């Protein structure tokens, strides 16, 4: 624990590099996430609580995306407006929700039973 794992070159590594830095939770504006290598620190400004998620960001099974945790309880979905430029907004969704959205269109995390959360720069 406490050590980041090196990620092989490829789409997942490029995606991880684009996530480095500070993100804000859209639904909880007092909650910030700092991505460093493949680890994340959550900071809650209103309580001062911090929590480190060591080596939490990992390539998905295809090696083209990222998942949260070893078992991939959440997968990364880049908002379409960010695809051609610097990533400024993204969502972490359950694999089931990501699949549903791929077919039926986007829904906001935290609304109408959608499990997950959304970050913005």
């Amino acid at each position: 624990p406490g050590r980041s794992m090196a990620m092989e070159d490829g789409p997942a590594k490029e995606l991880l590099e684009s996530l480095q830095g500070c993100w804000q939770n859209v639904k909880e504006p007092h909650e910030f996430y700092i991505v460093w290598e493949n680890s994340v620190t959550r900071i809650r400004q209103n309580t001062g609580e911090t929590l480190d998620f060591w080596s939490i960001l990992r390539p998905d099974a295809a090696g083209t995306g990222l998942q949260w945790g070893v078992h991939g309880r959440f997968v990364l979905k880049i908002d379409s407006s960010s695809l051609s430029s610097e990533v400024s907004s993204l969502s972490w969704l359950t694999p089931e929700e990501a699949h549903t959205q791929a077919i039926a269109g986007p829904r906001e995390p935290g609304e109408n039973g959608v499990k997950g959360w959304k970050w913005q720069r």
Side-chain angles (χ1 to χ4, degrees):
R3 297 275 177 225
S4 294
M5 296 172 33
M7 192 176 292
E8 291 183 26
D9 288 342
K13 184 174 183 179
E14 288 176 24
L15 198 49
L16 181 64
E17 288 171 357
S18 73
L19 299 185
Q20 301 300 297
C22 187
W23 294 87
Q24 182 180 33
N25 185 324
V26 171
K27 294 278 185 214
E28 303 289 339
H30 61 271
E31 195 169 273
F32 292 87
Y33 293 81
I34 300 171
V35 178
W36 43 283
E37 297 181 15
N38 64 336
S39 297
V40 177
T41 298
R42 182 183 68 202
I43 301 167
R44 290 185 171 152
Q45 277 189 324
N46 60 337
T47 63
E49 174 193 358
T50 64
L51 182 60
D52 290 324
F53 298 93
W54 298 99
S55 300
I56 195 78
L57 303 178
R58 299 171 178 262
D60 62 14
T64 57
L66 292 174
Q67 66 183 32
W68 186 275
V70 178
H71 302 292
R73 291 190 56 210
F74 295 94
V75 295
L76 176 68
K77 180 180 178 297
I78 302 291
D79 291 354
S80 57
S81 61
S82 294
L83 288 177
S84 60
S85 61
E86 183 177 322
V87 177
S88 59
S89 182
L90 59 88
S91 298
W92 290 100
L93 304 169
T94 63
E96 297 80 13
E97 180 62 31
H99 178 73
T100 299
Q101 289 192 19
I103 295 168
R107 302 186 319 163
E108 288 296 311
E111 294 179 3
N112 302 318
V114 177
K115 292 183 180 174
W117 63 96
K118 188 171 185 172
W119 288 354
Q120 67 185 6
R121 286 276 189 203

